[in-house]
Amino acid sequence: MATTTAVAPVGVSPAAPGPAGQKGRWYEGATAHVVLIAILLVALYPIVYMIGTSFKAPDEILNNFNVLPREFSPGNYPLGWVGIPDITFGTFFLNSAVIAIGVVVGNVVACSLAAFAFARLKFPLRGFWFAIMIGTLLLPHHVLIVPQYVLFNSLEWIDTPLPMIVPKFLATEAFFVFLMVQFMRGIPRSLDEAAEIDGCGPYRRFFFVVLPLTKPALVTTAVFSFIWTWNDFFTQLVYLNRTPHFTVPIGLRLFLDSSGQNAIAPMFAMSVLSLVPVFLFFLVFQRLIVDGINTSGIKG
């Protein structure tokens, strides 16, 4: 049976939306903007409230729940900086920086080497070991606290930064290994083959071919390692005992004394300062973070 197909006349453009269609698109765009602005306000309100409260007088904090202070009191910042007896808050910043930088170096070096092995080298049971590594992502972090504490205590590492830094040099962060594996799989293997023809072994292919092309994934690993370590409270609370070794999250807790002598205003001031390194770190490497997440296939 013969069939006929309707063909649009040549040179005739699709019909433009009428006034009703344009009005509907305008409403959709306006609704989307209103929803996004509402979500943005909800997300930013705690930060804005914390900044505003850091400039309130101590007797105003519990009586004024508005964002802006009635009386501008910048004295909370110097008061919080020297608010802990026999120590300044700069010591806590230095301790946090040492641990965060050590974790960043450990994760970048160890995870990139492990990812190169899984993504580019062939060895027995490679798929099995990769599946085991992915399976560790399902293991809750708190399950490992007791055996790790026993191990580090036997090594006399308690109350030092070593329990937070040394394990990172053993590629224990499976998430970052997986991220780099996904990124390296996107690099053409023809580059490896060309390097092999030129006489490059695995080490030279890693350092001179794969590693320079993995920069977005390396930066993503560095930024998330820094942010997660800087904001970590539980792990540092478990392993650090003496006040001079405390980090910023534990130092903020010292403003809340169990005896009732709370210093809420200086605590808010130091909380604002504690966000500055994280904000600057993220701001500097923002573009490379987006590139790394997009090209490694880790979205949502």
Side-chain angles (χ1 to χ4, degrees):
M1 184 175 64
T3 58
T4 59
T5 302
V7 178
V10 177
V12 178
S13 58
Q22 294 179 352
K23 188 176 181 180
R25 291 182 180 178
W26 183 86
Y27 279 124
E28 292 177 359
T31 304
H33 280 82
V34 170
V35 172
L36 290 176
I37 292 174
I39 295 174
L40 181 64
L41 291 176
V42 172
L44 291 181
Y45 177 77
I47 299 176
V48 176
Y49 179 81
M50 181 175 65
I51 296 174
T53 305
S54 67
F55 292 103
K56 294 178 182 177
D59 56 348
E60 184 187 347
I61 292 178
L62 299 179
N63 301 322
N64 179 16
F65 293 100
N66 295 324
V67 172
L68 298 178
R70 299 193 190 100
E71 182 181 356
F72 188 73
S73 303
N76 293 327
Y77 284 85
L79 186 62
W81 190 263
V82 295
I84 308 299
D86 301 328
I87 195 170
T88 65
F89 215 81
T91 303
F92 302 147
F93 273 93
L94 179 61
N95 294 337
S96 286
V98 170
I99 294 176
I101 293 174
V103 170
V104 168
V105 174
N107 277 338
V108 169
V109 173
C111 293
S112 60
L113 288 170
F116 177 76
F118 282 123
R120 314 299 273 195
L121 301 181
K122 295 181 180 178
F123 54 90
L125 301 177
R126 182 180 65 171
F128 172 77
W129 294 119
F130 186 71
I132 293 294
M133 185 208 66
I134 294 298
T136 59
L137 290 172
L138 306 177
L139 196 63
H141 172 65
H142 303 82
V143 174
L144 302 176
I145 285 295
V146 173
Q148 285 180 343
Y149 188 90
V150 173
L151 173 63
F152 297 142
N153 189 39
S154 64
L155 296 174
E156 299 182 352
W157 285 3
I158 301 301
D159 203 25
T160 68
L162 296 178
M164 279 80 73
I165 297 176
V166 174
K168 307 304 178 185
F169 283 87
L170 302 176
T172 55
E173 292 290 346
F175 172 77
F176 296 128
V177 176
F178 176 68
L179 184 145
M180 292 189 189
V181 167
Q182 293 296 102
F183 191 93
M184 290 180 182
R185 284 175 176 172
I187 299 175
R189 287 191 173 274
S190 58
L191 297 177
D192 293 48
E193 296 169 358
E196 288 181 5
I197 293 174
D198 290 339
C200 292
Y203 294 103
R204 296 182 67 183
R205 278 190 284 129
F206 171 71
F207 285 108
F208 297 109
V209 178
V210 176
L211 195 60
L213 298 175
T214 320
K215 187 171 69 174
L218 296 176
V219 172
T220 303
T221 300
V223 171
F224 281 111
S225 297
F226 183 86
I227 294 175
W228 291 349
T229 305
W230 187 272
N231 294 328
D232 184 25
F233 175 80
F234 180 73
T235 306
Q236 298 166 8
L237 180 66
V238 169
Y239 293 120
L240 300 178
N241 298 330
R242 291 183 294 172
T243 304
H245 296 167
F246 283 176
T247 56
V248 171
I250 307 176
L252 291 174
R253 177 177 167 271
L254 297 179
F255 289 106
L256 301 177
D257 192 352
S258 59
S259 63
Q261 301 296 326
N262 297 332
I264 298 179
M267 184 191 69
F268 272 100
M270 292 302 100
S271 298
V272 173
L273 291 184
S274 69
L275 294 179
V276 173
V278 177
F279 178 75
L280 293 178
F281 207 78
F282 181 82
L283 189 65
V284 171
F285 298 105
Q286 180 184 9
R287 184 179 58 83
L288 291 174
I289 293 175
V290 175
D291 292 343
I293 293 177
N294 288 335
T295 52
S296 60
I298 299 177
K299 303 175 183 177

